[in-house]
Amino acid sequence: MPADVALLKEVPLFAALDDEERALLATQLEEVRVDAGHKVFSRGDPGGAIYIISSGEVQLSVEDTTGHLIVFETARRGDFFGELSLLDGDPRSADARAIQDTCALKVDRGDLEQLFRRHPSSAMDVLTAIGRRLREADQLLRTRPTLSPNQTVEERLTTIQRLADGLSAFSGTFTFLLLHAVWFAVWMAINLGWVRIVHPFDPFPFGLLTMVVSLEAIFLSCFVLISQSRQAAKDRIRSDVEYDANIRAGMEVTHLHTKVDHLYEQTMARLAALERGAQDGRRLGSPGPPV
């Protein structure tokens, strides 16, 4: 028990308590032991307690829709976690996994309400911890790389693939067509004897020109095919990104439906309570039977 009291003294949440109150609170706490690699709780579990680490380490994380693990915080001795779902009553918003053999103290809702009644200022410590974790989560989401399909493909390019893309892009331009037209015109003018300053080297029917153009067409077609195969890979990546975006949108819509249903249930419960109160008021105010 003295060890629990000493631990509570290190936690900012219970710093305002005196020794007697901390000793009383320590008698109500439950000790939880978790082996390394096991979860203290999972995302979606009902939130019913705050955990204070007395030894070991716990990693707070969430897995996004693409399977990437986002680590919010690594809690150590004296740190507490799990306060968000305990306060708002919603399921756990993250996974808590022990990365070492961990021993923690479990503070349930009743203990926390008793603490807030005696020391309202301790609620600010909880809000401070929540705000800090929200800021860290926001910073992680801001700094996460969000690559487009084109950027993802560009990172995987080899030298040959870059060359194939460049040649394929250039071969489809008007400049490419104009250069070949000038080249053919000059070649034929020289070899037909129209230009006297250069001796003809490829007389009609221009066999050398035909061979050069054929070789160019073969190599250019190979590069175009390489570029087209890369375009197919890019289309697959784009499809994956669009699928992920659709999944995210679906999850947001489901979340909104859940919120609307929750608000609807609360509204109907309040209306039912008002209706019962009105009926009770009418019964109490109704005149009695005639004498």
Side-chain angles (χ1 to χ4, degrees):
M1 192 62 62
D4 294 342
V5 175
L7 174 62
L8 294 179
K9 196 172 183 178
E10 299 176 13
V11 181
L13 181 61
F14 306 108
L17 302 179
D18 55 31
D19 293 338
E20 182 179 354
E21 290 171 335
R22 276 193 289 267
L24 178 62
L25 180 62
T27 60
Q28 303 173 358
L29 301 183
E30 177 186 352
E31 188 177 67
V32 177
R33 295 184 179 274
V34 183
D35 295 332
H38 290 74
K39 289 185 177 181
V40 181
F41 55 75
S42 299
R43 183 180 182 183
D45 290 348
I50 290 177
Y51 294 88
I52 304 170
I53 297 181
S54 57
S55 64
E57 294 183 359
V58 173
Q59 186 181 76
L60 303 177
S61 63
V62 65
E63 189 174 284
D64 63 13
T65 56
T66 60
H68 294 92
L69 189 69
I70 305 175
V71 179
F72 295 141
E73 183 183 3
T74 300
R76 298 177 176 84
R77 175 179 171 83
D79 295 332
F80 62 93
F81 59 92
E83 70 283 350
L84 183 59
S85 59
L86 178 61
L87 293 177
D88 60 15
D90 288 341
R92 300 288 188 185
S93 58
D95 297 328
R97 183 186 299 275
I99 56 179
Q100 296 180 2
D101 291 341
T102 301
C103 179
L105 301 179
K106 186 177 180 182
V107 185
D108 61 22
R109 192 179 187 90
D111 298 331
L112 198 63
E113 289 176 349
Q114 183 179 1
L115 172 64
F116 289 167
R117 282 196 300 267
R118 292 188 179 184
H119 297 279
S121 61
S122 61
M124 292 302 299
D125 295 320
V126 178
L127 293 177
T128 300
I130 294 175
R132 174 170 54 85
R133 288 182 180 136
L134 288 177
R135 286 182 181 275
E136 291 175 355
D138 182 67
Q139 183 65 23
L140 285 172
L141 292 176
R142 287 176 182 270
T143 56
R144 287 189 68 206
T146 55
L147 299 179
S148 67
N150 293 332
Q151 292 173 323
T152 303
V153 174
E154 287 293 330
E155 288 185 347
R156 307 175 184 175
L157 284 182
T158 64
T159 304
I160 297 298
Q161 290 174 334
R162 293 181 187 277
L163 178 62
D165 286 346
L167 289 176
S168 298
F170 180 66
S171 64
T173 62
F174 180 76
T175 303
F176 180 82
L177 177 62
L178 184 61
L179 285 175
H180 278 70
V182 173
W183 172 30
F184 294 156
V186 172
W187 188 292
M188 288 186 291
I190 292 174
N191 290 282
L192 289 175
W194 297 347
V195 180
R196 299 296 183 179
I197 59 177
V198 180
H199 184 73
F201 57 89
D202 185 24
F204 184 83
F206 314 118
L208 179 60
L209 178 61
T210 303
M211 183 186 69
V212 171
V213 172
S214 299
L215 291 175
E216 181 193 25
I218 292 173
F219 283 103
L220 189 59
S221 62
C222 291
F223 283 121
V224 169
L225 290 174
I226 293 173
S227 182
Q228 287 180 348
S229 65
R230 282 197 56 260
Q231 183 62 40
K234 186 185 297 185
D235 291 338
R236 286 194 297 271
I237 294 177
R238 183 178 289 109
S239 299
D240 293 339
V241 172
E242 292 176 352
Y243 174 76
D244 179 63
N246 291 334
I247 292 295
R248 291 174 185 268
M251 292 179 64
E252 291 294 333
V253 171
T254 302
H255 189 54
L256 288 175
H257 276 298
T258 302
K259 285 186 175 181
V260 171
D261 292 340
H262 184 62
L263 291 174
Y264 177 77
E265 292 176 359
Q266 288 184 336
T267 302
M268 295 303 297
R270 291 178 180 178
L271 290 176
L274 290 175
E275 185 177 357
R276 287 195 299 269
Q279 291 176 354
D280 294 341
R282 286 196 296 268
R283 284 197 299 268
L284 292 175
S286 60
V291 180

